[in-house]
Amino acid sequence: LIMKDFLIYLCLPPYLAQWYANDCNQVHNRDNKTCPREIYRFPTPVVPVRNSQESGVIQTHLQKQPVEGPQPVPDNATIAIVIPSFPYKPVEYYNYVPRVGLEHLEDTIRNRFQVELYDDIHEARRITPKARIDLLISAWMEDHCIEDDDTNFRTLLKIYQRRREAYLKACRAKKSKKSL
């Protein structure tokens, strides 16, 4: 008996769907001798990492299917995520995540992405302060199997710049508070 996977669909920007799929793939393959390094393409299902923030969000919001039945796959979906089974929420019965849960899941993925992008680029710039930011972003995209196109590159660059500016602003505020 082969059980059919239950899936949830998110409408993430392509770079974010690609990053998340690669992140899950790397963890699931960490004990293997090799790991596929390919850009994610919808509708291939992605299995979330056990005990991850994303799994916790899914578990929190899992419900039984509403009477109306399953929702159709959104036209603009960019990623399919397998709903895991949890001890007190077996997937055979709990296989529906309401809209608010999907939004929470999207926010969790987006926040973790932004932290990882900023931390990795910031650390690379700390080690090699004169490194070109465009090369660091392109290398980061390659490392995380994100398609290297102009839209993705500009988006990641802008995300990094905004996070960096927020960090520097907080540092300046902290410094001025100390000098009072």
Side-chain angles (χ1 to χ4, degrees), residues 35-115:
C35 180
R37 304 275 310 154
E38 57 213 22
I39 293 172
Y40 171 79
R41 300 286 181 228
F42 180 78
T44 306
V46 173
V47 178
V49 174
R50 183 182 199 85
N51 297 321
S52 65
Q53 293 171 334
E54 294 81 14
S55 284
V57 169
I58 293 169
Q59 182 178 13
T60 298
H61 293 284
L62 265 182
Q63 301 176 3
K64 292 182 178 177
Q65 280 289 337
V67 176
E68 308 86 65
Q71 298 296 314
V73 177
D75 292 337
N76 55 346
T78 56
I79 190 166
I81 300 174
V82 175
I83 299 175
S85 196
F86 299 97
Y88 300 104
K89 290 188 175 180
V91 73
E92 300 83 29
Y93 303 104
Y94 294 88
N95 50 43
Y96 173 75
V97 179
R99 184 187 52 75
V100 70
L102 297 177
E103 290 172 3
H104 185 188
L105 181 58
E106 288 174 0
D107 287 346
T108 301
I109 293 169
R110 185 175 292 105
N111 290 338
R112 204 164 61 76
F113 167 84
Q114 290 176 355
V115 167

Side-chain angles (χ1 to χ4, degrees), residues 1-69:
L1 176 71
I2 296 176
M3 193 175 95
K4 174 182 141 274
D5 284 333
F6 291 95
L7 304 173
I8 50 180
Y9 299 92
L10 299 180
C11 304
L12 299 173
Y15 71 88
L16 198 51
Q18 293 165 3
W19 171 82
Y20 181 67
N22 178 68
D23 192 60
C24 293
N25 192 28
Q26 295 302 308
V27 172
H28 292 309
N29 285 289
R30 73 173 161 234
D31 296 331
N32 298 341
K33 289 184 180 178
T34 61
C35 180
R37 304 275 310 154
E38 57 213 22
I39 293 172
Y40 171 79
R41 300 286 181 228
F42 180 78
T44 306
V46 173
V47 178
V49 174
R50 183 182 199 85
N51 297 321
S52 65
Q53 293 171 334
E54 294 81 14
S55 284
V57 169
I58 293 169
Q59 182 178 13
T60 298
H61 293 284
L62 265 182
Q63 301 176 3
K64 292 182 178 177
Q65 280 289 337
V67 176
E68 308 86 65

Side-chain angles (χ1 to χ4, degrees), residues 125-166:
R125 292 191 81 192
R126 190 186 66 72
I127 294 168
T128 53
K130 296 193 186 301
R132 289 178 33 198
I133 190 71
D134 61 329
L135 297 179
L136 292 175
I137 296 284
S138 290
W140 197 87
M141 289 171 62
E142 184 179 335
D143 287 347
H144 293 85
C145 293
I146 298 172
E147 192 168 7
D148 193 356
D149 62 25
D150 195 54
T151 302
N152 288 342
F153 174 81
R154 289 183 186 282
T155 302
L156 269 63
L157 179 60
K158 187 55 84 179
I159 290 168
Y160 173 74
Q161 289 170 337
R162 285 185 184 136
R163 299 277 310 204
R164 184 170 185 267
E165 190 52 42

